[in-house]
Amino acid sequence: MEISNERRGRSISRGRTPTRYGYTPPRAQRRHRETVKECCKKIITFMCTQVGVGALLIGYTVIGALVFTHLEKRGKNIESSEVETYRNATVKKLFQVVMKHNILNREGFKVDANKVLKLHQSHVTQIFKHGYDERTVDEIWTFPAALMFCLSIITMVGYGNMVPKTNEGKILTMVYAIFGLPLYILYFKNMGTIFAGCFKWIYRRIYECSTEKEGNRKKIIVPSTACLWVIFAYILTGAIMFSEWEHWDFLDSTYFCITSLCKIGFGDLVPGADVNASNHGNQTKIVINFLYMLLGLGLIAMCYNLMREETRVKLNEMNEDFNQCLEDTKIRFMACCRKHKQNNRQYEGY
Amino acid sequence: MDRRRSMRRSGRRYRRPWLKKCKEYMRNFIAFLFSNVGIIGLVIGYTIAGSFMIQALERGKPIPVQSQAMGNRTLFAKKLWNLTMELNANVKLQEKEYRAAVDIKLVEFQKIFVNLTRRGYDGSDDANGFKSWSFAGAFLYCLTVITTIGYGNIWAHTPQGKIASIVYAIIGMPLFLLYLSNIGDVMAKSFKWIYANFCLCRWCPGVAKRRAERRIQRDQQMEDNDSNQNTDSSSGSTNVSIKMANMNSRPSVVSEGPTLFSDESYDVESVNVPITVCLMIMVGYICGGAILFFRWEFDSGWTFLDASYFCFISLSTIGFGDFVPGDKIYGQVEFDEILELKFVFCSMYLMLGMALIAMCFNLMQEEVINKIRNSIRTVKYIFRCR
């Protein structure tokens, strides 16, 4: 009964507009509720579609970074103590070498010292492969670095210059990836549409300005070469930027940019991973790399979107052309055949 | 006149089928290449070609980091010599003092050395990269490039190698995506068939019939219940209740329709593999891989957690590269054949695993879309009802 009453009330209010100004309390309440509902709906759609996803992604990485720094800083520096023991052993061996060559045989000392050093090196390399970094845990897991680490998980880049060493950290990495990957994919798709819209608008404006033709309003499609140029320019700026900061070769920094944006992420070259450089400079580099990656992946999504659209249109056109061509040839063929038959008949007649 | 014409006609008649046949063959061939078996061959061939290419480019070329590390070591030996001389000149050599001095020097040495290691030095004196670019290693490298895993345990050092790997990646990634979508589709279809025929026991004689009967009974019961409830609750508005009944029966008919009417001619397409099964498959694959790698890499100190972590990180194409099978210090490895075998097996595991995950995603997507559609229908119905 209530339902039908409400429905009737709604239909009345819709039918007669003047009654809207009569402020009866239940209706006002209802309106209030509706506005709240509307607001909620708007917020949810905003969160799921527009900038909200970007904010969600950044929030997720920030939370992840906080958790990871907390977890990993609790882990002990097992590796560094191990390295210390190795170093002590090496020192002892060196002393033995010195005692052996106490008559100071220079060449012999050199050879033996080299051997000992090599042994030390191979030990340290082995530990390094398991993640030793010549820095303490507190130095490695700074906040920007952890941010970059989280981003490298959820974007599937995986540089591998810093990895979780504690067991909890490893488990958390897996869980984090499971929830992060869909979020990232959502971000990728959304950013693709937004950027594609913006880029299309800009392109259209430029196109209209340059041609100055009015009336001829057909749908403008951004050619894929434009997208490629944008990506190319982005990679070029990144390459120049990183080569300036990190004193890499130009080729190296280009290689870094491309492998990062393709999500391969070898991790042989990572900005802000230099041990000898100052820690503060490294942090800014890492933050800038973070922003570069975030924007670059969005740009790639944009290009993907635009190029897909273009290829779809082109495929359609091609299909139509092909069909027309087929039809044409068919008609021509038929005509030819008919002519032939006629000719034959004529010949037969002769 | 007549003769020439006939000759031309005959010539045309003979040429046309041949051309057509040729075209047909070509089309078939291309279709085959881009279909199921062909694409596997294409991907494997591409990877093998890439590994030969990268081997030719990288093997035997001096690695600058390696020679730098060696130079660094001799420099430090010299420094140590100088230090020893100094300490020896002043007083008689005392162990404690000497140790402290050497320790400081060694820390310095270590720092430089760690930096070199990060740039690709692997602890061996093999300055030409003969060991690290064995065929299996190059194969794994190429696979990690095109799957965008990128472990980073080995990488190209020369400029030519870098350019080649960029180009290789740009061509290879779409190819691999094609492989994934294709194989995922095929595997999803075949898995669905297997699931429909074996797990649901369609082939067992009595089961299908009994199940269908039970379902019909259940449906009837539900409908009865619904109609009873409706008549009880909304006694005044019969109109609504009829609508409710209609709506309730509609989705059930839609979902059960094919199973009701076709006990023998059962449609495989309509089977939905539940999400839990897909998840089980993925977890099982990861666990299986973890057990295997745990057994293999027991010597190099992997725990079970490490192994499963490696499997997950690899299959999700993150690829940190902190754990890679067969990635010990190259100077210490003596059994190269085992190493090669490990590399090959690892690449096999990756290729199969990614296809499997693509399959699972395919199935899960279908299921989720189905569920969302159902829930949207119910939500729509609820709103309309009010």
Side-chain angles (χ1 to χ4, degrees):
Chain A
M1 282 311 269
E2 246 182 47
I3 295 165
S4 61
N5 259 344
E6 225 175 56
R7 193 182 277 165
R8 203 179 300 142
R10 208 178 286 165
S11 69
I12 285 166
S13 74
R14 211 178 288 148
R16 266 184 279 156
T17 37
T19 49
R20 208 191 278 163
Y21 299 103
Y23 285 109
T24 50
R27 198 169 295 157
Q29 237 174 28
R30 201 190 309 139
R31 194 174 298 151
H32 188 69
R33 208 191 296 151
E34 261 172 22
T35 50
V36 166
K37 214 189 270 172
E38 198 90 331
C39 270
C40 277
K41 205 193 277 175
K42 261 182 190 168
I43 285 171
I44 287 169
T45 47
F46 179 75
M47 285 304 275
C48 283
T49 52
Q50 303 276 338
V51 195
V53 171
L56 212 66
L57 191 86
I58 288 171
Y60 191 69
T61 46
V62 166
I63 290 168
L66 286 176
V67 173
F68 272 115
T69 46
H70 182 71
L71 267 182
E72 287 297 321
K73 271 184 182 172
R74 279 196 315 186
K76 290 162 202 155
N77 293 320
I78 308 164
E79 277 95 5
S80 63
S81 64
E82 228 170 293
V83 167
E84 195 134 3
T85 54
Y86 276 128
R87 204 165 54 221
N88 281 338
T90 311
V91 169
K92 209 178 258 176
K93 268 181 205 157
L94 272 175
F95 186 73
Q96 279 166 8
V97 168
V98 170
M99 292 310 276
K100 198 175 120 192
H101 295 280
N102 213 1
I103 315 123
L104 298 180
N105 169 10
R106 184 165 183 162
E107 285 309 308
F109 176 77
K110 250 191 194 170
V111 170
D112 278 1
N114 217 341
K115 251 185 217 163
V116 172
L117 281 180
K118 196 184 167 194
L119 195 72
H120 179 66
Q121 240 182 15
S122 66
H123 280 311
V124 175
T125 321
Q126 199 156 25
I127 295 167
F128 183 83
K129 283 265 153 104
H130 287 284
Y132 175 64
D133 204 354
E134 193 60 34
R135 288 180 286 184
T136 58
V137 171
D138 288 334
E139 275 172 348
I140 297 169
W141 288 93
T142 54
F143 185 70
L147 214 64
M148 195 62 219
F149 170 71
C150 289
L151 192 76
S152 82
I153 291 176
I154 59 173
T155 56
M156 304 179 271
V157 177
Y159 284 124
N161 62 325
M162 44 193 296
V163 287
K165 275 161 227 158
T166 57
N167 282 348
E168 300 94 50
K170 278 170 193 169
I171 293 167
L172 189 72
T173 307
M174 293 194 238
V175 176
Y176 193 76
I178 287 169
F179 288 107
L181 292 182
L183 189 71
Y184 167 70
I185 289 166
L186 201 68
Y187 166 80
F188 191 78
K189 278 193 170 167
N190 260 314
M191 270 324 208
T193 47
I194 290 171
F195 278 4
C198 290
F199 190 67
K200 225 191 253 171
W201 187 78
I202 291 167
Y203 182 80
R204 194 172 294 155
R205 272 296 152 86
I206 291 168
Y207 187 81
E208 278 171 2
C209 272
S210 63
T211 51
E212 289 181 17
K213 263 186 195 172
E214 285 186 23
N216 189 15
R217 278 196 174 275
K218 64 173 182 178
K219 203 181 172 193
I220 297 166
I221 297 151
V222 183
S224 55
T225 44
C227 304
L228 289 181
W229 277 113
V230 167
I231 287 286
F232 184 72
Y234 194 71
I235 287 172
L236 205 67
T237 27
I240 289 168
M241 206 164 69
F242 285 119
S243 69
E244 276 293 309
W245 277 335
E246 289 282 334
H247 307 294
W248 290 340
D249 282 339
F250 184 70
L251 176 71
D252 276 353
S253 53
T254 316
Y255 172 74
F256 164 74
C257 288
I258 290 178
T259 48
S260 302
L261 289 179
C262 288
K263 297 191 261 180
I264 298 172
F266 287 124
D268 49 348
L269 302 158
V270 179
D274 197 357
V275 176
N276 293 335
S278 69
N279 214 10
H280 190 71
N282 279 346
Q283 304 310 320
T284 48
K285 274 176 204 163
I286 288 170
V287 168
I288 284 164
N289 188 19
F290 180 82
L291 292 178
Y292 182 78
M293 286 297 300
L294 217 58
L295 198 67
L297 291 168
L299 268 183
I300 281 184
M302 172 195 99
C303 284
Y304 176 73
N305 248 2
L306 287 176
M307 278 162 88
R308 197 179 49 181
E309 197 176 304
E310 205 216 341
T311 41
R312 199 175 287 158
V313 168
K314 279 214 171 143
L315 267 181
N316 268 347
E317 273 177 14
M318 231 164 73
N319 222 349
E320 266 173 29
D321 277 1
F322 186 72
N323 277 342
Q324 226 164 29
C325 202
L326 220 68
E327 206 90 321
D328 246 31
T329 43
K330 206 174 175 185
I331 289 166
R332 231 171 253 179
F333 199 72
M334 295 281 272
C336 203
C337 272
R338 210 169 289 152
K339 219 181 217 175
H340 232 82
K341 267 182 192 167
Q342 277 176 4
N343 278 350
N344 274 356
R345 228 170 266 155
Q346 272 178 9
Y347 282 126
E348 276 165 19
Y350 280 128
Chain B
M1 192 70 185
D2 203 338
R3 212 171 166 194
R4 200 193 285 163
R5 200 162 280 260
S6 73
M7 261 179 71
R8 197 187 288 162
R9 266 174 61 201
S10 67
R12 197 187 284 169
R13 195 189 298 154
Y14 275 111
R15 208 179 296 147
R16 209 182 299 139
W18 185 77
L19 253 175
K20 242 182 201 170
K21 238 183 226 173
C22 205
K23 225 185 247 171
E24 194 91 339
Y25 278 134
M26 280 298 286
R27 197 189 291 154
N28 275 346
F29 182 68
I30 288 170
F32 176 74
L33 265 190
F34 283 96
S35 74
N36 315 329
V37 188
I39 197 112
I40 299 175
L42 209 65
V43 166
I44 290 175
Y46 188 71
T47 320
I48 287 172
S51 54
F52 274 123
M53 184 191 71
I54 206 92
Q55 244 183 339
L57 282 177
E58 285 289 316
R59 214 168 182 195
K61 299 278 158 51
I63 299 170
V65 176
Q66 224 85 320
S67 53
Q68 263 177 35
M70 269 144 75
N72 184 33
R73 209 163 56 220
T74 43
L75 185 79
F76 260 88
K78 213 180 258 173
K79 269 189 187 171
L80 278 176
W81 167 259
N82 287 342
L83 186 83
T84 317
M85 286 300 282
E86 231 172 71
L87 285 174
N88 215 7
N90 288 343
V91 266
K92 206 182 170 239
L93 196 58
Q94 285 189 348
E95 192 172 347
K96 222 177 203 175
E97 227 175 276
Y98 179 74
R99 271 197 186 180
V102 168
D103 203 51
I104 292 166
K105 284 273 167 194
L106 263 185
V107 168
E108 207 178 299
F109 167 67
Q110 215 173 269
K111 259 192 183 163
I112 295 172
F113 166 68
V114 163
N115 249 356
L116 283 176
T117 315
R118 181 171 293 122
R119 275 162 49 199
Y121 177 60
D122 59 355
S124 67
D125 273 350
D126 168 33
N128 292 327
F130 271 111
K131 272 178 192 158
S132 50
W133 290 103
S134 65
F135 180 73
F139 188 82
L140 190 64
Y141 172 78
C142 288
L143 198 71
T144 56
V145 168
I146 62 170
T147 52
T148 72
I149 295 173
Y151 285 130
N153 57 335
I154 45 174
W155 56 73
H157 288 277
T158 59
Q160 304 95 295
K162 278 175 186 170
I163 292 168
S165 38
I166 288 172
V167 173
Y168 188 76
I170 288 171
I171 298 170
M173 282 188 311
L175 190 72
F176 194 76
L177 282 183
L178 198 69
Y179 161 82
L180 274 190
S181 64
N182 228 322
I183 296 300
D185 222 35
V186 170
M187 279 174 84
K189 257 178 205 160
S190 44
F191 182 74
K192 231 181 200 178
W193 186 82
I194 289 168
Y195 179 80
N197 284 328
F198 289 98
C199 300
L200 293 183
C201 214
R202 284 283 144 196
W203 282 350
C204 313
V207 174
K209 209 174 176 185
R210 246 177 285 147
R211 185 173 288 153
E213 279 171 7
R214 219 178 296 149
R215 197 166 283 159
I216 290 166
Q217 269 182 4
R218 206 193 302 142
D219 283 353
Q220 277 176 351
Q221 247 175 18
M222 269 172 67
E223 268 174 35
D224 289 346
N225 282 344
D226 283 346
S227 55
N228 284 338
Q229 276 176 10
N230 285 337
T231 45
D232 286 345
S233 62
S234 56
S235 53
S237 55
T238 48
N239 197 12
V240 174
S241 80
I242 288 166
K243 260 190 189 169
M244 279 275 268
N246 276 341
M247 278 309 290
N248 266 350
S249 63
R250 204 183 296 157
S252 73
V253 164
V254 166
S255 59
E256 314 290 348
T259 55
L260 262 177
F261 301 118
S262 54
D263 275 351
E264 294 86 23
S265 61
Y266 186 69
D267 194 11
V268 176
E269 284 293 315
S270 68
V271 176
N272 282 324
V273 181
I275 291 177
T276 44
V277 173
C278 295
L279 287 178
M280 290 266 280
I281 288 172
M282 283 203 273
V283 170
Y285 193 75
I286 285 175
C287 280
I291 290 167
L292 220 135
F293 284 115
F294 172 57
R295 281 272 173 81
W296 260 0
E297 296 291 324
F298 195 72
D299 309 332
S300 40
W302 286 26
T303 58
F304 183 72
L305 179 72
D306 287 343
S308 49
Y309 170 75
F310 160 74
C311 288
F312 181 83
I313 292 291
S314 301
L315 289 180
S316 59
T317 73
I318 294 173
F320 284 133
D322 48 346
F323 295 97
V324 178
D327 183 42
K328 290 179 199 165
I329 307 307
Y330 287 103
Q332 294 176 349
V333 172
E334 277 147 27
F335 311 104
D336 273 347
E337 284 163 20
I338 292 176
L339 190 77
E340 302 249 312
L341 196 73
K342 271 178 189 170
F343 273 154
V344 167
F345 184 79
C346 183
S347 35
M348 294 286 290
Y349 180 80
L350 286 179
M351 276 187 107
L352 190 66
M354 291 180 87
L356 206 72
I357 280 182
M359 175 197 95
C360 284
F361 270 108
N362 223 331
L363 291 174
M364 271 156 77
Q365 196 183 18
E366 218 165 83
E367 176 78 8
V368 166
I369 283 172
N370 235 349
K371 283 215 165 136
I372 284 175
R373 203 172 288 155
N374 274 346
S375 59
I376 279 174
R377 197 187 291 142
T378 42
V379 166
K380 259 186 191 166
Y381 165 63
I382 286 166
F383 274 103
R384 200 193 296 156
C385 179
R386 191 193 288 171

